[in-house]
Amino acid sequence: MSAAPLQLPHLEGVEAAKRAAAYAAVDNHVNHTHKIIGVGSGSTVPYVVERIVQQGANVNADRWFVPTGFQSKELIIKSGLRLGDVDNYPEIDVTIDGADEVDSKLNCIKGGGACHLREKVLAEAAATFIVVADYRKESKLLGDNWKQGVPVEVAEFAYAKVLRQLVKMGSTNAVLRMGKMKAGPVVTDNGNFVIDAAFPEAVMRDPQDLLQRIKLLTGVLEVGLFCNMAKAAYFGNQDGTITSKLVDGTVKSGVVFDVTKSPAQTS
Ligand SMILES: O=C[C@H](O)[C@H](O)[C@H](O)COP(=O)(O)O
């Protein structure tokens, strides 16, 4: 006998797209043998956690969930899941995270929420790193959609020097990210500042090279370019379908995904 459909809140547009992408990613990449799970940041990730909770209390009882920042830490705790840390669990089975933009090779811009340092640690620590997003994040070339620039986390005392170096490196617009409803700059969960550095298309064509050059600037903690890290990306589309892209180039578009169908449960 098949399980009764899940009673889910009705969502429309972008929110429905995020939920579908997140659910599909969990169903395809978080299986019951996975015990250490990295939980990313952003507005799509709550749906990832929602789907993991739907896998059942039984399967989640002996899992540990490692957060990429304050937001995901709260999410894990409020969902009744066990909170771990990368100190205890430096090897993660699977990390699922959002993104600001994903190119056709699954390179990403991340850090719109200033979480990219911890996010990259958890992506690198994971055997499998999966990205979830809505259709607005999918592009051919990084920078096509995300115009804010590459997020660069810097030590507070080094920001002016790094900002100057980013401009010399060709950034057309490098700015210290300022807080909203707060006087002064954004301070990350690690106590650092963030510079958003936009680069011309010619530079963005080789994100790996740009990443390496920025990373070498003293004072830079991490760059929000995630190159050759994701194994798969899931995008929720406007029409309710999803698109999945694997790192081997496999693309499935227009996939109908029924979010009301329960994930497989363990007894
Ligand atoms: O620092 C934040 C992270 O990289 C997020 O995953 C990214 O900004 C996407 O967030 P959202 O899903 O809210 O657009």
Side-chain angles (χ1 to χ4, degrees):
M1 203 173 71
S2 59
L6 295 169
Q7 298 299 311
L8 299 173
H10 176 73
L11 298 179
E12 291 200 10
V14 171
E15 282 311 305
K18 288 176 185 179
R19 180 168 67 185
Y23 279 26
V26 171
D27 287 10
N28 284 303
H29 297 281
V30 183
N31 70 46
H32 295 167
T33 66
H34 292 147
K35 299 300 175 196
I36 314 295
I37 296 167
V39 180
S41 322
S43 56
T44 311
V45 170
Y47 299 116
V48 169
V49 173
E50 192 172 279
R51 190 59 162 180
I52 287 172
V53 169
Q54 289 167 12
Q55 289 184 332
N58 195 30
V59 70
N60 284 315
D62 64 345
R63 282 175 166 167
W64 289 98
F65 294 85
V66 182
T68 52
F70 181 84
Q71 180 217 358
S72 44
K73 184 174 163 188
E74 292 284 292
L75 195 56
I76 291 165
I77 294 170
K78 286 183 179 152
S79 303
L81 300 171
R82 294 199 302 176
L83 180 68
D85 201 289
V86 73
D87 291 341
N88 306 65
Y89 301 104
E91 289 186 18
I92 294 173
D93 292 315
V94 55
T95 292
I96 304 190
D97 203 346
D100 298 304
E101 191 170 11
V102 187
D103 74 10
S104 49
K105 293 180 181 155
L106 308 191
N107 297 317
C108 306
I109 293 182
K110 291 183 51 54
C115 299
H116 52 291
L117 169 56
R118 289 185 191 221
E119 288 177 339
K120 202 179 272 191
V121 170
L122 263 62
E124 206 172 282
T128 305
F129 174 54
I130 304 296
V131 173
V132 288
D134 60 77
Y135 53 90
R136 300 169 305 171
K137 312 293 186 72
E138 189 183 358
S139 77
K140 281 206 172 71
L141 189 71
L142 295 181
D144 276 356
N145 299 341
W146 181 257
K147 300 294 182 193
Q148 194 177 308
V150 176
V152 181
E153 181 158 349
V154 288
E156 170 261 318
F157 63 87
Y159 98 85
K161 185 219 57 142
V162 172
L163 202 142
R164 204 179 174 79
Q165 287 177 308
L166 289 167
V167 171
K168 279 189 184 157
M169 203 180 266
S171 174
T172 47
N173 187 21
V175 291
L176 182 64
R177 192 183 296 179
M178 302 307 281
K180 296 201 171 101
M181 307 289 285
K182 177 218 181 250
V186 165
V187 178
T188 70
D189 288 348
N190 320 302
N192 302 309
F193 289 175
V194 176
I195 294 171
D196 291 300
F199 286 89
E201 188 186 310
V203 177
M204 295 304 290
R205 285 196 178 280
D206 190 349
Q208 175 75 40
D209 175 69
L210 182 62
L211 161 62
Q212 284 170 351
R213 289 192 291 133
I214 299 176
K215 192 86 188 259
L216 280 176
L217 303 175
T218 304
V220 169
L221 280 310
E222 196 45 80
V223 185
L225 289 169
F226 286 44
C227 300
N228 307 313
M229 298 190 91
K231 294 264 180 9
Y234 289 78
F235 302 94
N237 298 320
Q238 255 170 319
D239 63 2
T241 65
I242 59 158
T243 296
S244 65
K245 293 185 175 180
L246 305 184
V247 72
D248 67 5
T250 309
V251 177
K252 289 183 188 162
S253 308
V255 178
V256 176
F257 182 86
D258 181 5
V259 290
T260 67
K261 199 165 170 230
S262 291
Q265 305 268 332
T266 50
S267 56

